[in-house]
Amino acid sequence: MAQKHFRTSEMHRYLKRIGEAAKFSIAYTQFLDTKGEPTQDLPPFAKKETLLSLYQQLLLTRLFDKKAVFLQRTGKLNTYASILGQEAISVGIGACMKKEDVFCPFYRDYGAQLMRGVKMSEILSFWKGNEWGNHFSECKTDFPICIPIATQLLHATGVATAFKLRKQAHVVVTTCGDGASSEGDFYEALNIAGVWQLPIVFVINNNQWAISVPRKNQSHAKTLAQKAIAAGIHGEQVDGNDVIAVKFVVEKAIAKAREGNGASVIEALTYRLSDHTTADDATRYRNADALQKAWGEEPLLRLRTYLLKQKYWSDEEEEQLTIRCDASIAAAVDEYLSLPKPVFTDLFDYHYEKLPADLNEQRIEAEALFMLNEIHKE
């Protein structure tokens, strides 16, 4: 009994010594509310010219997206992932990056890509199944659109590691969806970014849906941003429908990384107004009332409302901008439709420096079948 009493006493003393090991909070940033009203003083960059430029990029991205969906529905494009409702995240990122930085996107980031010089025809070519669409004529160091979930995050840490080893003041920005934050690749990328203090910014596009799986069924964490805490890096949330807030938060994170102060995770809260892709039917799982509410909070409406209230913009200017955007999109579509078809032997020719014997046999067989098919067409 004496021994048992001693152990209990020791346990009591131990329990008294237990304190709080760690404490954290997740900041949330918003400048314009859902009605386009300022919630606080706007940041210094939010002058008329900058806001108009951001709005023009938002509108161009939306109109391009609308055209891409139309092309898919008319058989001129394969499966396509729409950015509808999420434009502010992508445009906010594009507005912060320098040319020498590297962007490692997932498959819903056309706003940033267009701002970095990727051509609309190249994006369309990719979604037609032509990998040459990823061979960007500009921003050649940016990574191609990544379809596998979360693998681009590890690619990004590799690039950031190279920047650090070379002592280059460049930053990598990489993006993913909320569903990707449940993948092992996500946690591995964050962990190594924390251990090595890499110059990288992770942006989670939390559009509330991982295809048909809602956010509430993906993670019990109150925020996705707090997943950064376990990696020892900074995490915060931003209103992903407020392009001013996105630019402000991403700009800070990029500056922090560029100065050698490590990585950040930014969770941008938005809502996917479209199907997951054109191969999806969101009406089977999404609540119509929630969708209607989200349409009232979307990023273009919010910034346009603010601009109109400030007398920075007018309906006439909106109409003229729409005409100009439609014209540039039409020219890009013409360019895309005139591109030569990919050569099917590219499947074999860009994997190995020297094709292994078994694949070389398959290549010869494929060429013979192709020629036979062409003869039958005649």
Side-chain angles (χ1 to χ4, degrees):
M1 289 293 290
Q3 188 177 15
K4 182 177 179 182
H5 177 73
F6 173 77
R7 287 179 176 173
T8 301
S9 298
E10 288 293 311
M11 181 60 72
H12 286 166
R13 285 195 291 272
Y14 171 73
L15 289 172
K16 286 180 180 178
R17 292 199 300 271
I18 293 179
E20 191 175 72
K23 192 179 207 177
F24 68 89
S25 63
I26 298 298
Y28 173 80
T29 301
Q30 180 193 70
F31 287 102
L32 295 181
D33 66 16
T34 59
K35 299 184 184 301
E37 294 288 348
T39 59
Q40 58 178 310
D41 292 339
L42 300 188
F45 69 76
K47 306 300 182 187
K48 177 181 177 180
E49 292 74 17
T50 301
L51 295 182
L52 289 177
S53 177
L54 290 172
Y55 182 71
Q56 289 164 8
Q57 285 296 146
L58 289 172
L59 185 61
L60 176 64
T61 304
R62 175 158 297 184
L63 293 174
F64 166 74
D65 187 72
K66 181 180 179 180
K67 185 64 174 181
V69 173
F70 174 80
L71 289 170
Q72 192 281 328
R73 298 306 190 201
T74 54
K76 296 176 181 177
L77 204 65
N78 297 347
T79 300
Y80 172 78
S82 173
I83 193 177
L84 184 63
Q86 302 148 82
E87 299 92 346
I89 300 172
S90 197
V91 169
I93 291 170
C96 298
M97 297 180 68
K98 292 184 177 181
K99 184 177 180 180
E100 62 268 22
D101 295 332
V102 169
F103 188 42
C104 294
F106 78 137
Y107 47 79
R108 214 185 295 277
D109 263 316
Y110 317 121
Q113 287 189 298
L114 293 175
M115 294 175 77
R116 291 187 57 72
V118 177
K119 296 166 65 175
M120 287 183 265
S121 59
E122 290 170 336
I123 295 172
L124 294 174
S125 184
F126 167 79
W127 287 112
K128 183 60 177 174
N130 187 346
E131 286 292 337
W132 283 107
N134 279 325
H135 187 65
F136 307 135
S137 53
E138 302 292 334
C139 58
K140 294 182 182 297
T141 56
D142 279 3
F143 274 47
I145 293 171
C146 190
I147 299 298
I149 306 301
T151 57
Q152 72 277 10
L153 307 180
L154 289 172
H155 303 159
T157 57
V159 178
T161 302
F163 285 162
K164 183 161 187 175
L165 291 173
R166 294 171 181 171
K167 302 187 186 310
Q168 294 173 306
H170 305 335
V171 175
V172 184
V173 178
T174 185
T175 56
C176 68
D178 43 291
S181 71
S182 298
E183 293 284 337
D185 290 6
F186 173 86
Y187 292 99
E188 291 167 9
L190 262 61
N191 187 61
I192 201 65
V195 171
W196 290 347
Q197 287 290 282
L198 297 179
I200 184 170
V201 178
F202 301 91
V203 181
I204 304 171
N205 177 334
N206 182 359
N207 65 23
Q208 312 304 318
W209 293 97
I211 306 183
S212 61
V213 181
R215 160 68 173 88
K216 66 180 181 180
N217 292 346
Q218 296 176 49
S219 173
H220 193 58
K222 288 186 177 180
T223 71
L224 300 181
Q226 73 195 61
K227 296 185 177 187
I229 305 300
I233 61 180
H234 176 72
E236 63 180 294
Q237 282 188 329
V238 65
D239 186 338
N241 289 339
D242 177 0
V243 70
I244 299 173
V246 174
K247 177 172 163 42
F248 177 79
V249 170
V250 172
E251 209 161 55
K252 282 197 309 175
I254 287 178
K256 172 176 172 287
R258 202 181 306 281
E259 292 163 5
N261 295 319
S264 298
V265 173
I266 297 168
E267 177 190 1
L269 299 168
T270 185
Y271 195 88
R272 195 190 76 210
L273 298 177
S274 65
D275 298 325
H276 174 68
T277 69
T278 51
D280 175 43
D281 179 9
T283 61
R284 299 171 60 188
Y285 54 81
R286 189 168 58 191
N287 180 276
D289 291 338
L291 177 60
Q292 184 177 5
K293 179 177 181 292
W295 269 108
E297 301 174 355
E298 59 97 351
L300 272 76
L301 174 62
R302 188 178 306 194
L303 184 56
R304 184 192 305 124
T305 300
Y306 176 78
L307 294 174
L308 289 170
K309 288 178 180 177
Q310 299 299 313
K311 310 293 186 186
Y312 292 166
W313 197 237
S314 67
D315 292 338
E316 293 76 18
E317 289 172 307
E318 177 91 9
E319 183 179 352
Q320 290 302 312
L321 176 60
T322 300
I323 292 171
R324 293 196 301 273
C325 288
D326 283 341
S328 65
I329 292 167
V333 171
D334 288 343
E335 181 182 358
Y336 154 67
L337 293 175
S338 68
L339 291 172
K341 292 182 179 180
V343 181
F344 79 93
T345 49
D346 287 353
L347 289 168
F348 299 94
D349 295 342
Y350 292 92
H351 289 284
Y352 296 90
E353 181 182 10
K354 183 178 180 181
L355 203 61
D358 58 334
L359 290 181
N360 191 53
E361 291 176 6
Q362 291 180 34
R363 189 185 190 282
I364 294 170
E365 182 181 354
E367 282 188 290
L369 289 171
F370 178 79
M371 293 299 296
L372 185 63
N373 185 56
E374 290 298 303
I375 291 171
H376 285 163
K377 283 182 182 179
E378 295 175 0

